[in-house]
Amino acid sequence: MNRKPIYSLIAILIILGVYGYEYFLIEVEKDELFSQGETIKTNTNEYFLPTSTTGQIIHHEGYSLSYKESYEQAEWVAYELKKSHLSNTNFKRPYFEIDKAVKTGAADWRNYKNSGYDRGHLCPAADRRYSQFVHDETFLTSNISPQDHEFNAGIWNSLEQKVRYWASKYNGVFVVTGGILQNGLKTIGDEQVAVPNQFYKIILDNNNGDFKIIAFLLPNENSNKPLHEFVVSVDLIEKLTDIDFFPELEDSIENTIEASSNYKSWSFY
């Protein structure tokens, strides 16, 4: 009796079993990462989170985000910046990594290579220097957007520094930021990552019992204008994005603070 066909069949079944088991483990790991991303973290201030136009909200230890697959980036990133978070610790800069908690698949960092645009952080690494882990989280690709280099290193960086100044002065603030994602934007890379023409940043302070808010809308290019010239109302940014930024606030408070573009209650110097 020729046993070779039987042995060959057994070998094939074993190989298929091994590959099948490896695939099963990969799928289990993916589901676990998705589940972790959906879980509210200890430091997540859920009360101030905006709505999502996509239904895909991911919570990391240091920030939350709403990912918009059609533009291959977050429509918003939100986080609380406490005074106690501020630190001068300089952690080693890690490599960018794909955010595996994004179910639809976050864009690869290679899309930015030779594009002429920076991998611009939405939640800055400098806002997350209170631990190595949360600092390194800011290098996930769900937290970056294509930014003109002069903009990223210039006025956008100045605004990020101002936010840290306010976090120190007002004993903490809540921050929401992102690009204005609209049809017809230029794209980069094989995955067609959209290049926003404008970026927004909204800062909320309620540490003294009274809510105050300031919002900025800046073109994706450097400018020598003072920051206060880019102050707009939250209502305007909501109109541009279809996002409701503070839906849990009482309507009377939300309607009042979001309609205002008065920056005089914020110290710029």
Side-chain angles (χ1 to χ4, degrees):
M1 179 179 177
N2 188 353
R3 296 178 180 272
K4 287 185 177 180
I6 296 176
Y7 293 148
S8 297
L9 179 60
I10 292 173
I12 291 171
L13 290 174
I14 291 173
I15 292 171
L16 290 174
V18 170
Y19 278 109
Y21 185 62
E22 288 181 349
Y23 176 80
F24 169 76
L25 291 178
I26 291 171
E27 290 301 307
V28 169
E29 182 182 8
K30 286 170 63 177
D31 288 342
E32 176 63 24
L33 289 170
F34 294 155
S35 177
Q36 289 177 10
E38 292 171 349
T39 303
I40 302 292
K41 304 302 188 292
T42 303
N43 292 326
T44 304
N45 193 334
E46 190 179 11
Y47 183 76
F48 290 133
L49 291 182
T51 59
S52 169
T53 67
T54 67
Q56 187 173 198
I57 295 179
I58 295 104
H59 303 286
H60 292 299
E61 291 295 336
Y63 59 90
S64 298
L65 66 100
S66 172
Y67 199 80
K68 199 156 190 173
E69 178 65 25
S70 55
Y71 295 89
E72 287 292 5
Q73 61 195 277
E75 62 179 349
W76 56 257
V77 168
Y79 59 99
E80 188 169 11
L81 182 56
K82 299 178 180 180
K83 187 174 183 178
S84 60
H85 290 163
L86 301 175
S87 171
N88 291 321
T89 304
N90 286 314
F91 294 112
K92 182 179 178 181
R93 182 184 177 96
Y95 293 110
F96 284 96
E97 292 186 10
I98 296 172
D99 189 345
K100 295 180 180 178
V102 177
K103 286 185 177 181
T104 55
D108 193 298
W109 62 267
R110 292 175 183 84
N111 289 286
Y112 292 74
K113 193 173 182 179
N114 299 321
S115 69
Y117 291 92
D118 285 3
R119 303 175 185 98
H121 280 74
L122 296 177
C123 174
D127 285 5
R128 290 293 177 255
R129 286 178 173 165
Y130 59 91
S131 91
Q132 177 84 62
F133 183 82
V134 295
H135 170 270
D136 290 357
E137 273 188 332
T138 66
F139 288 84
L140 294 173
T141 55
S142 57
N143 184 47
I144 60 175
S145 180
Q147 292 185 338
D148 174 83
H149 174 71
E150 296 302 320
F151 169 76
N152 185 27
I155 194 167
W156 188 249
N157 179 54
S158 297
L159 179 55
E160 291 173 341
Q161 292 182 46
K162 186 63 66 178
V163 171
R164 288 190 285 277
Y165 165 74
W166 285 329
S168 176
K169 183 176 181 63
Y170 302 129
N171 197 30
V173 292
F174 191 84
V175 185
V176 188
T177 188
I180 301 296
L181 305 180
Q182 299 173 320
N183 293 333
L185 294 175
K186 176 183 177 180
T187 62
I188 58 171
D190 293 338
E191 294 177 278
Q192 297 185 322
V193 178
V195 181
N197 292 325
Q198 297 172 296
F199 284 89
Y200 68 86
K201 196 178 291 289
I202 302 170
I203 303 98
L204 175 74
D205 170 32
N206 75 318
N207 286 287
N208 294 323
D210 295 323
F211 288 95
K212 68 177 181 180
I213 201 166
I214 190 169
F216 296 85
L217 183 65
L218 301 93
N220 189 5
E221 60 187 27
N222 196 27
S223 174
N224 293 319
K225 293 180 180 179
L227 282 169
H228 68 259
E229 291 195 19
F230 297 97
V231 174
V232 298
S233 68
V234 175
D235 282 344
L236 174 60
I237 300 176
E238 288 186 334
K239 184 177 180 181
L240 293 172
T241 60
D242 291 326
I243 297 168
D244 186 356
F245 283 100
F246 300 101
E248 298 301 321
L249 291 180
E250 292 182 17
D251 287 343
S252 58
I253 296 174
E254 182 183 7
N255 293 339
T256 299
I257 63 174
E258 290 187 355
S260 174
S261 57
N262 188 337
Y263 58 84
K264 293 185 179 179
S265 60
W266 295 80
S267 174
F268 275 81
Y269 306 103

